[in-house]
Amino acid sequence: MDMKKIFALALAALAALVSCQKESNSPEPQPQAQPKIVFELTANYSGDAPATKAIKTGWEAGDVIFVFFEGVEAPKHLQMRYDGTAWTTVEMNGDTEGAIGLSNGNEGLMRALYLPFGSDSKISSGGSSEPRFFIDNDNYYAKCSYWLTGTLHYVVTNNKVSGAFNMTIPEGFVQFYVKDPDAATKLAGNDEYTLSCPAVTPCGINAISATGLAIERDYMTGDPAYAGYEMSANAYKGGFLFSGCLVGEEDYQNTYGNRYYLRRTFWEYHGTMKPVETKDLYVNPLNPLVSHDAVLLPSNDSPRWMPVRGSNSAVELSGASGSLGAWKIKNYGDYVPAGSEYLATFNFQTANALGEKIPSRAEWLALINGLTWTPIVVDRGIKGMLGVDKDGKYILLQNGCYWTSTLKDDTTAFCVQVESGDPVDKLAIIFAEPTEALAVRAMAGPTDPILNTFNPEITY
């Protein structure tokens, strides 16, 4: 072969080799790493302000605040974790760590949420067609409490988000505390303790909307206007803490003033929850309940709580002129006083053959005239009249009619009519045909236990 051709072919091969080497040595283009966003966020606990009278008054080690950002899709959020001295932040995607996707220039509203008993809660997007940040917790009662929340406007500047949330309890919340050193142990299983107050509705939290970051409340009963359902307990520092939202505050005070009939129930789990112990407490504090009150009630073992479930107990009542006798604390046939809107009723002959001491017309009249009577409402809106004697001991009569043991004549018998606010309060001796079905409130028999219950004041 001609040497010139051989030289030309060699040069061509060398050029091809150099070209391939240049191509193979060229670096592959790499995606630019997203700068990590630094969150410099803190939170003030406004619950320690004297006006709120909150039982929990500041941050504690282990507290977690959940922060939601406008423009960030559920379930992505930020967690602020308190170690006892300072806050640290972790970006979360549901229940695992993961960037929430903010970058420089992003801005909008951010909402912080603190659940006193729900620091281990998980955030999910749920299955709703309208995206939400759902609050999930294996302990349902962690969501059945008050919460603290605050909002700020955020702007991501130089890869940083800064701010200090002012965390407050929403308007309308009140708290009740009942001391019991074994509260945490008692709530560790499936059993439950509840408290009802006719001016308060149980209120928890369900979700945060992805649009506008509004809080979606869970009223437990499904009806935010209906007060008196049971508030569930959470254990806190040697006691039970209950909370709920005041409902119809002005309407309640206009009708009932500062008078509250409280009911505490222990529910035991036997496949389903069964109420096994109920105790009542009537209070007439100097001031009515108002938003952000934290109320210290008598301790769990205090004799101020009147045992009523299944009890045949009676209370000895006194008027200005002396004893009014010992009266049963509940109607015949009822498990608790005013436990149902449907009274157990009997005709006159049956009522007087029950083996109970049915009060005479004169004994009823002495009771009516010897006590101070006021309208009252018990849990779930059941109404009645409550009589208080000179020592603060009390008796509750649910709305309805009650037999005396006294006949008026051959065709009628005396009875007592109890009506609160329909349209006016009424407590009067009337008469009815003996065939009518009326309720029975008996007096104590020789073997019935007598309670020395009295009316304590609520302390704040």
Side-chain angles (χ1 to χ4, degrees):
M1 180 179 288
D2 187 285
M3 290 298 293
K4 290 183 178 180
K5 287 184 178 180
I6 292 173
F7 184 71
L9 289 170
L11 286 176
L14 179 62
L17 177 63
V18 171
S19 176
C20 288
Q21 287 177 341
K22 285 183 179 180
E23 289 177 4
S24 63
N25 290 334
S26 298
E28 291 291 332
Q30 299 294 322
Q32 293 293 319
Q34 188 75 13
K36 182 175 177 59
I37 304 300
V38 176
F39 295 91
E40 294 182 346
L41 298 172
T42 60
N44 302 314
Y45 193 111
S46 67
D48 58 3
T52 65
K53 308 168 187 169
I55 290 167
K56 178 177 165 62
T57 58
W59 303 119
E60 300 171 0
D63 284 345
V64 172
I65 293 176
F66 302 89
V67 185
F68 308 93
F69 295 82
E70 197 172 34
V72 174
E73 64 183 8
K76 296 178 180 179
H77 65 287
L78 184 76
Q79 290 187 10
M80 298 171 56
R81 301 173 182 175
Y82 191 67
D83 63 9
T85 57
W87 294 96
T88 58
T89 59
V90 180
E91 294 180 76
M92 302 291 294
N93 186 357
D95 58 355
T96 59
E97 293 189 20
I100 64 176
L102 290 180
S103 58
N104 282 322
N106 290 157
E107 65 176 301
L109 181 72
M110 56 180 174
R111 178 181 288 280
L113 172 69
Y114 169 65
L115 302 172
F117 307 102
S119 289
D120 60 344
S121 296
K122 298 176 177 61
I123 307 301
S124 69
S125 56
S128 173
S129 58
E130 181 181 342
R132 293 180 174 90
F133 299 90
F134 283 92
I135 316 298
D136 298 322
N137 199 297
D138 292 337
N139 175 17
Y140 173 75
Y141 305 116
K143 301 197 303 178
C144 302
S145 79
Y146 71 98
W147 61 82
L148 276 72
T149 188
T151 58
L152 287 173
H153 183 79
Y154 77 91
V155 180
V156 184
T157 306
N158 297 326
N159 304 319
K160 185 184 297 184
V161 175
S162 304
F165 290 102
N166 184 36
M167 304 293 286
T168 60
I169 301 173
E171 188 69 18
F173 267 109
V174 292
Q175 302 172 55
F176 301 91
Y177 185 78
V178 177
K179 184 179 179 181
D180 186 329
D182 299 322
T185 302
K186 291 177 177 178
L187 291 176
N190 291 322
D191 298 340
E192 184 182 357
Y193 288 78
T194 62
L195 179 75
S196 64
C197 174
V200 180
T201 285
C203 183
I205 187 167
N206 185 44
I208 305 290
S209 69
T211 304
L213 300 186
I215 290 178
E216 181 181 307
R217 296 190 179 195
D218 182 353
Y219 286 93
M220 314 306 171
T221 65
D223 187 347
Y226 197 61
Y229 275 87
E230 294 89 354
M231 295 171 277
S232 297
N234 283 284
Y236 182 69
K237 288 191 174 180
F240 298 105
L241 185 58
F242 307 88
S243 63
C245 299
L246 288 170
V247 177
E249 181 179 348
E250 291 184 2
D251 291 340
Y252 183 92
Q253 292 173 18
N254 289 340
T255 303
Y256 304 107
N258 303 344
R259 299 179 295 276
Y260 304 97
Y261 196 92
L262 303 167
R263 175 160 290 171
R264 197 192 76 214
T265 303
F266 167 53
W267 304 74
E268 202 167 53
Y269 183 76
H270 296 281
T272 59
M273 288 292 187
K274 296 185 181 298
V276 295
E277 180 188 74
T278 300
K279 294 186 176 182
D280 288 358
L281 177 69
Y282 166 67
V283 290
N284 186 16
L286 296 176
N287 300 306
L289 285 172
V290 295
S291 178
H292 293 150
D293 273 345
V295 180
L296 179 63
L297 295 173
S299 63
N300 199 36
D301 59 356
S302 170
R304 296 181 179 184
W305 292 98
M306 181 169 66
V308 295
R309 180 169 293 277
S311 166
N312 212 27
S313 300
V315 57
E316 180 80 34
L317 299 167
S318 301
S321 58
S323 174
L324 301 172
W327 290 70
K328 296 285 184 73
I329 59 177
K330 61 184 181 62
N331 294 342
Y332 183 87
D334 287 347
Y335 284 105
V336 294
S340 168
E341 60 182 309
Y342 302 106
L343 295 170
T345 57
F346 312 86
N347 63 38
F348 180 83
Q349 182 179 2
T350 302
N352 283 276
L354 293 171
E356 297 287 322
K357 181 177 177 2
I358 309 300
S360 67
R361 176 181 180 275
E363 288 168 322
W364 268 111
L365 197 58
L367 184 77
I368 293 171
N369 294 331
L371 302 182
T372 301
W373 294 92
T374 55
I376 200 75
V377 61
V378 194
D379 61 346
R380 304 178 188 241
I382 297 174
K383 298 178 180 180
M385 296 291 289
L386 188 134
V388 182
D389 78 358
K390 63 181 183 64
D391 300 320
K393 293 181 286 186
Y394 58 92
I395 185 172
L396 170 67
L397 296 175
Q398 184 178 343
N399 282 359
C401 288
Y402 299 79
W403 283 122
T404 75
S405 61
T406 308
L407 285 167
K408 180 177 181 289
D409 51 40
D410 292 340
T411 59
T412 54
F414 288 105
C415 62
V416 177
Q417 183 182 18
V418 180
E419 291 292 341
S420 61
D422 191 21
V424 295
D425 301 328
K426 183 182 295 184
L427 191 60
I429 302 286
I430 60 172
F431 51 87
E433 294 181 1
T435 55
E436 291 189 41
L438 307 182
V440 170
R441 177 62 63 93
M443 298 182 73
T447 61
D448 292 318
I450 307 299
L451 301 174
N452 291 317
T453 185
F454 61 96
N455 170 24
E457 298 296 331
I458 287 183
T459 56
Y460 294 101

